[in-house]
Structure formats: structure tokens, C-alpha cells
Amino acid sequence: MNYILIAAVGGVGSILANRGIAVFNDGLRPIMPEYLEGKITRKELAATSFAVSFGLIIGFGIPVSIGSTILVAHSILLAADVIGTWTPDNKWGTALAGTVGAIYGAGLLFGLSSIVALFKMLPFNFLPALSLMSGPILLAFCAFPALAVASQHNPKKGFITFGLTFLAYLIAVKFGTFKIGKFTVTLNAIGMALLVAMICMIYFAAQIKGEGNSNASLVNVFSKRVGRIKGNWIWLSIMGGLITAASSMLIIAVDVLPQQLLVKNQVMEAAIATFARAIGFIPLVFSTAIVTGVYGMAGTTIIFAIGLLLKGQPIVAFLAGFVWMWIEVQLLSATAKGLDKFPGLRDMGEHIRTSLQDTIAIALLIGAAIACNKMAANIGFFWVIGFWLLNKKSKKPLVDMAVGPIATIAFGVLLNLLRIIMLF
């Protein structure tokens, strides 16, 4: 079931990208209409797709997925973007995209399992240390709403949000376990802290009212492109159903935080984190979809949360995801116009995305330092810090989120080489 689902996700995702219906990378979506309108060639589109996605696939998606049976969505959906745009724009190309995407999806799941088995055979098995890399993310993630508030409003409100988040965590740890009749209830401290942080962020953003019509104007100007998305609802709904089913089987997570929560079997907390992340992407996905006529491959990513809530029920999850994606597409114009009345909420999305990237990057860097120091005390810190600083000076530096995972894996490989020549 897992291999069939992940193959279907990779195959259908590649078909969507091939036909210009949807892509996962937000940076690629604005380029798609340039190709659809004949302003750039297929080769130029393929080159752009590769440039904006390959680094995240190799540097973030796959390294973070190694050591876990749960794939980070970037490792497969970004690859679907590349596969879809690199295959010809005709019916044979579409069939080829679906085939290659399906093989890639199944191969990715099999390959990661094989990599884990290979690690255990190495002279120095650094897989246990590698699992430490994502440790700081779990609690650090709760800080991103405070950073978003400080960025959107002012540092004072950011510190207020940060303080309340910290207090919520302490209270949940101290008083989060209590009895209701014969049952013992334990509140997850990270989940409660994140909930309080999200409430603060939404509260501050909702205070900004307005009567603007920027999104409404976009809908009117790009009505044909909106119609194009709605005309492809069946493909989008199928993709929504497949991703939701895969999420329900815990084989794919939208990002590294939900993935790590799922590894610890904290499914409800992972669903909350997934939903919190999705809030930040609603304005971006809707506005870029209206302008480009190309939707997000996973929509607003709420389908990932729906899948987690329907854990272990892939058929029900598929139907729920199918229906939800249809709802998203049909409400595209209305929701976008509705955000005009709350410009604070509309603008909040941009700050959330930036804050998420910064938070994950620094958390992975700290985690990488912890992991490398576990492999080799003291010199591990030297390796990660040096790798980070030198990357900043590179002509083509890696994205910040990729530095920690790549540095950790490179260090593990290096230590194995040193073990072979008896220098470690």
C-alpha cells in the first residue's frame, strides 16, 4: 500500500507539472505562465525548475528524510516539478512524466530504507547521531509565531508573544497532567505552546482592518486564469486525495517538524503543526494561483493535516482529500476577496513563511552541531560552524536550511573514511 500510494503521488504530481496544472515550488509557479504563453521555451522552463528545486531536494528533503520511514514532502513533490517540466509537452511526454514520477516515488521510499541498511554496515554507523539533528526543531518551532509578529508589527509584540509561548510551555509541563474520572489526560507542552503562539499571532494580525480590494482586482483581471484552475479540478482533487491518503498512512509529512512529531508518534501534535504551517501559505497559494493560473500541487497543504486526523484510513482519507481540494479550488476567488477585509491576516502569510524558514534553518544548524559533536566530540562543532561560515562565502551558497543536514552527512562520511585509514 505504501509503495503504491507514494508511486501514485509521484506519478500524478509529475503529470500535473508536465501539463502546467500545478507545481509545488512557490518560486516556480510565477514562471509557468511565461511558458504557457510562449514567452520562454520548454528548455528554459526545465532549467529554471531544476535550478530552484534541485538544491532543496538534495540538500533538505532527502537528507532530512534519511533515517525515517516518513518522507518530507519536498523530497518527492519538488522532484515531481522537475520531472514534469523536463518531459516533453505532449501526450507521450505526459505519459513519460507519470511513469518516471511513479518510479521515482517508489524508488525514493525503497532507497531510503536501503540507505538505512547501508549505514548499519559502515565501519562507523552515524545514523543514531544523525537522528539528533532534528531534535531542536520540535521546541524551536514554537518560536516562529513570535518572530512573525515582531516582523509584521513590532519587536514589543513579538516579545509578548514569545513570553506567553514560554509561559504556556512551563504551565503545560507543570500542570498538564490531570485526571478526569478514571482517565489520565496529559497535554503536550509543545502543542500547547504552539497553540498559544498561533492565537497571539492571529489576534495581532486581525486587529488590522481594511476595505482594500487588491485580491478582488486580481480575480477580475485574471479571471481566465482562475477559470483554468477550476477547469482542472478533477486532476487537482485526485492529487489532493492521494496526498491525504499518503499522509494518513504516515509515509509523507509536509515539513520537518510534523515529520519529527510523527516519528515520536505524536500524531495530533503533528496535525496541529501542519495546520499552523498551512495558515501561512493560504494567502501565497491563492494570490499566485489567481495571477498565474497554476495551483499548488498540495493546495494550501491543509490536506496533510486532514490525512493525519484520519490516520490509518487511506480510503476515507482519499475521499476527504478529494473533496477538500475541490472545495479549495471552488472557493479560490471568494476566499481571496475575503482576505481583502483583513489585510493583516493576508499579509501575515509572508511573515510566517520567512519566519518558518529562519527558524528551521537555525534549528537544523544547532541540531547538526549536536549530531556532529556526538560523532566526534569538540571537532564536530568546528566542522559545522566552519561549514556554515564558508558556505556564506561561496559563490553559489546552499540555502540555509540545507547547510545543517549536508554538513552532518558529509561529516559522517568523512569519519568513515578516517576509520578505514585508522585515523579515527
Side-chain angles (χ1 to χ4, degrees), residues 1-7 9 65 68-73 75-76 109 242-243 245-253 262 308:
M1 174 65 79
N2 286 359
Y3 281 100
I4 291 173
L5 274 176
I6 206 66
V9 168
S65 299
S68 172
T69 56
I70 304 169
L71 303 174
V72 173
S75 62
I76 185 166
L109 193 59
L242 290 172
I243 291 176
S247 178
S248 75
M249 296 299 288
L250 307 187
I251 57 176
I252 186 171
L262 291 175
L308 294 177

Side-chain angles (χ1 to χ4, degrees), residues 186-262:
T186 301
L187 298 177
N188 181 272
I190 294 177
M192 296 307 298
L194 181 59
L195 178 62
V196 170
M198 292 294 297
I199 290 173
C200 291
M201 181 177 65
I202 293 173
Y203 171 78
F204 287 128
Q207 301 308 302
I208 303 176
K209 301 288 196 307
E211 294 296 333
N213 62 350
S214 57
N215 281 343
S217 299
L218 288 178
V219 171
N220 294 330
V221 173
F222 298 104
S223 58
K224 288 185 178 179
R225 293 183 177 179
V226 173
R228 182 177 185 273
I229 293 174
K230 292 183 177 181
N232 287 310
W233 70 268
I234 185 66
W235 280 105
L236 294 169
S237 290
I238 290 173
M239 189 62 180
L242 290 172
I243 291 176
T244 309
S247 178
S248 75
M249 296 299 288
L250 307 187
I251 57 176
I252 186 171
V254 70
D255 215 332
V256 63
L257 173 68
Q259 181 212 37
Q260 291 305 306
L261 289 170
L262 291 175

Side-chain angles (χ1 to χ4, degrees), residues 49-95:
S49 174
F50 184 85
V52 299
S53 297
F54 186 73
L56 282 173
I57 297 170
I58 299 299
F60 176 69
I62 292 179
V64 170
S65 299
I66 290 176
S68 172
T69 56
I70 304 169
L71 303 174
V72 173
H74 301 68
S75 62
I76 185 166
L77 298 185
L78 287 178
D81 286 350
V82 175
I83 293 168
T85 53
W86 275 69
T87 44
D89 185 12
N90 53 46
K91 63 179 182 179
W92 301 112
T94 299

Side-chain angles (χ1 to χ4, degrees), residues 357-358 361-362 365 383-404 407:
Q357 291 173 356
D358 292 344
I362 194 66
L365 180 67
W383 177 267
V384 173
I385 293 172
F387 200 99
W388 171 274
L389 294 174
L390 289 173
N391 179 67
K392 291 291 186 183
K393 299 297 182 180
S394 300
K395 291 183 179 179
K396 294 183 178 180
L398 299 168
V399 294
D400 288 347
M401 289 192 300
V403 175

Side-chain angles (χ1 to χ4, degrees), residues 7 48 183 220 236 273 316 353 366 407 415:
T48 303
F183 301 97
N220 294 330
L236 294 169
V316 177
R353 293 190 301 276
I366 295 171
L415 291 181

